[in-house]
Amino acid sequence: MMKKKIAFVTLGCKLNYAETSTYERELLESGRFEAVQWDERADMYLVNTCTVTEHSDKKCRNIIRKLHRISPEAEIIVTGCYAQMKKAEIEKIEGVRFVFGADEKTAVVPAVLRHLDGNDGPCGADPASFLPAYSSGERTRSFLKVQDGCDYFCAYCTVPFARGRSRNMPIRDIVAQAHEIAGKGIKEIVLTGVNTGDFGKTTGESFLDLIKALNEVEGIERYRISSIEPNLLTEETIDWIASGTRFLPHFHIPLQAGSDTVLKEMGRRYDTASFEHKIGYIRQKMEKPGRAKVFFGIDVIVGFPGESDSLFAETCDFLENRIRPAFIHIFPYSRRKGTRADLMKNQIQDSVKTERVRILEGLSERLHSEFVLSNRGVPEKVLFESSDKDGKMFGYTGNYIRVERPFDPALTGKIVDIIL
């Protein structure tokens, strides 16, 4: 039987990447497909979409149209968050054969295989279902999905509408997936989710229970937590991570604003004082003289409705003088229909948002340079990746400092001791 050529495209977050990788693995294991690059002619394309901003929506539409131009006869399968929010809009795009919303993810692979057999009946997906997923396209690390959905409904965010309520698989099933990942020779796992620290809603377990169980998986030497809300990163969890575990000194924590006024309008569940205390507590527990500093990546939204120049200045001051992260992930506020912020007065001009992004990018560069310098001369471990770029190879320390070496295939996937 002639195999169908299929290409996969992921837009958006690492959670989408883990899910797309799972679709690819399962479709290829069926023996009915061979994978090709997305810019090649194919019989089918699977596009996993994002809808976090208006720009994300536009990018999704553009890539679908581009795939149709590359291979006009191909059938395009669209899934993900944009597919959940704008299904009818996507169905009108030429070349699109199937649209699966985020609440139909478990139906994607079965429906595609049934379609090959000439059966295009209803997918029968359960909106509350959980698609188990992990990425396996890299030799060094895997993104493991541990949680989906969100119950927070922050004023600016469509994710709870696109992804549904907070839910998860039992710990035993996630641990089984970690063993699968270890069996592929992968050394590092990044835990991903929509609201990762909210793990346990559907099983009566806790995030701390989860990471303790994962820490026992043989073969996985390093874990990172991709993003966790500050109010859900408990002191008990920090104490355990700091006690000598495989979890690295690397935290990605959404702040969104360094102004209590803006945080309240956003509907966030903490204030600047509690956020600052949490960062200080982690540093106190995990940083020792002569050892690596903790990497903090902090999410910030600029231009939220009503964010005056003085309120933005509070955010800049909070970042620079009170918490000093290693990196700032900066997002200009994007107005989204159906959210509370869409109806707020005092919407900020795009030109003002652009200037605030520029200011924070400069601050982030300075803070990152200082972070790297503060780690100079300390011992660390680097996990080297497989790519050869102009005779160089790259890897990351436990605290996420990028290191380069002359390319040596023997170092690929190896954890190497270095002095920074």
Side-chain angles (χ1 to χ4, degrees):
M1 180 178 63
M2 181 78 77
K3 291 184 178 181
K4 296 270 189 184
K5 291 184 177 180
I6 187 168
F8 299 86
V9 180
T10 304
L11 298 129
C13 61
K14 297 300 185 186
L15 186 54
N16 271 7
Y17 175 61
E19 290 171 345
T20 305
S21 185
T22 298
Y23 295 142
E24 179 174 3
R25 200 164 50 245
E26 292 179 0
L27 288 170
L28 296 185
E29 284 171 1
S30 75
R32 305 180 73 173
F33 292 94
E34 64 171 299
V36 297
Q37 295 300 309
W38 71 267
D39 54 356
E40 296 179 36
R41 289 183 68 87
D43 301 303
M44 278 188 175
Y45 297 97
L46 191 152
V47 185
N48 198 356
T49 61
C50 172
T51 191
V52 71
T53 65
E54 185 62 44
H55 177 71
S56 306
D57 289 1
K58 184 178 178 182
K59 193 172 178 182
C60 293
R61 291 191 296 271
N62 287 344
I63 194 73
I64 293 166
R65 291 182 178 120
K66 185 170 186 176
L67 295 174
H68 180 63
R69 290 195 299 272
I70 292 169
S71 192
E73 303 304 315
E75 297 180 302
I76 302 173
I77 304 148
V78 184
T79 187
C81 293
Y82 178 45
Q84 177 72 22
M85 301 298 285
K86 301 285 180 65
K87 188 168 187 173
E89 182 178 292
I90 297 167
E91 286 173 337
K92 294 174 184 172
I93 302 175
E94 202 168 352
V96 171
R97 182 65 183 80
F98 292 110
V99 181
F100 295 99
D103 61 4
E104 300 172 312
K105 283 179 178 285
T106 56
V108 172
V109 171
V112 169
L113 294 176
R114 285 203 314 272
H115 173 63
L116 293 188
D117 295 328
N119 178 6
D120 287 341
C123 64
D126 173 8
S129 63
F130 183 93
L131 174 73
Y134 65 86
S135 67
S136 52
E138 297 182 61
R139 291 169 61 186
T140 48
R141 74 177 52 81
S142 175
F143 295 91
L144 173 61
K145 175 181 173 181
V146 301
Q147 183 273 343
D148 203 347
C150 184
D151 297 341
Y152 276 15
F153 292 91
C154 295
Y156 51 83
C157 189
T158 59
V159 169
F161 305 107
R163 283 262 179 189
R165 305 306 290 246
S166 180
R167 59 200 186 277
N168 58 273
M169 289 196 306
I171 288 173
R172 64 176 180 276
D173 294 343
I174 295 172
V175 168
Q177 288 191 305
H179 281 293
E180 281 183 36
I181 294 166
K184 298 176 187 296
I186 293 169
K187 298 281 200 305
E188 181 175 302
I189 286 178
V190 183
L191 306 186
T192 67
V194 174
N195 190 353
T196 311
D198 203 33
F199 176 88
K201 276 284 178 74
T202 48
T203 56
E205 298 165 312
S206 73
F207 183 69
L208 182 54
D209 294 334
L210 171 68
I211 63 177
K212 283 181 175 179
L214 288 171
N215 197 61
E216 300 302 314
V217 175
E218 287 299 321
I220 303 299
E221 297 185 36
R222 313 199 324 177
Y223 287 95
R224 298 185 194 272
I225 302 168
S226 66
S227 180
I228 186 165
E229 291 285 315
N231 53 300
L232 296 175
L233 182 56
T234 65
E235 292 188 357
E236 185 184 8
T237 299
I238 295 161
D239 291 345
W240 180 79
I241 290 173
S243 69
T245 68
R246 300 178 192 182
F247 282 78
L248 299 174
H250 173 196
F251 293 91
H252 179 178
I253 307 177
L255 168 65
Q256 310 308 15
S259 157
D260 287 334
T261 302
V262 179
L263 287 175
K264 188 174 181 182
E265 287 295 303
M266 287 179 164
R268 302 295 285 163
R269 301 186 176 207
Y270 51 86
D271 57 17
T272 53
S274 61
F275 193 100
E276 182 179 11
H277 171 77
K278 193 65 58 77
I279 298 295
Y281 189 86
I282 294 169
R283 284 182 169 137
Q284 174 200 335
K285 290 290 181 175
M286 298 187 71
E287 291 185 350
K288 308 294 180 197
R291 309 299 294 178
K293 307 285 187 189
V294 177
F295 181 103
F296 291 102
I298 302 295
D299 291 350
V300 175
I301 294 171
V302 299
F304 186 79
E307 184 188 57
S308 63
D309 288 343
S310 62
L311 292 177
F312 174 66
E314 287 181 25
T315 289
C316 294
D317 177 70
F318 184 74
L319 290 164
E320 184 164 19
N321 298 317
R322 290 171 61 185
I323 60 169
R324 302 190 65 77
F327 189 81
I328 309 168
H329 304 263
I330 309 149
F331 305 90
Y333 165 73
S334 180
R335 196 169 182 173
R336 309 301 282 148
K337 281 192 171 131
T339 63
R340 297 196 306 281
D342 177 48
L343 304 175
M344 290 180 179
K345 297 177 181 177
N346 300 320
Q347 299 284 332
I348 306 299
Q349 290 183 340
D350 286 346
S351 58
V352 174
K353 295 177 194 173
T354 300
E355 174 61 12
R356 290 178 183 175
V357 167
R358 187 193 67 76
I359 290 167
L360 285 190
E361 283 175 343
L363 175 58
S364 182
E365 286 174 15
R366 292 198 307 277
L367 290 171
H368 187 259
S369 296
E370 290 175 24
F371 175 75
V372 172
L373 196 61
S374 72
N375 283 275
R376 193 65 54 81
V378 305
E380 249 297 352
K381 293 178 183 293
V382 178
L383 174 59
F384 281 104
E385 298 170 2
S386 57
S387 16
D388 179 355
K389 295 179 183 172
D390 300 321
K392 300 280 188 186
M393 68 190 310
F394 303 90
Y396 286 91
T397 62
N399 64 343
Y400 212 60
I401 292 175
R402 192 168 185 254
V403 174
E404 73 170 48
R405 281 265 180 96
F407 183 72
D408 178 357
L411 291 180
T412 293
K414 296 284 194 308
I415 295 175
V416 179
D417 289 304
I418 65 158
I419 301 293
L420 284 168

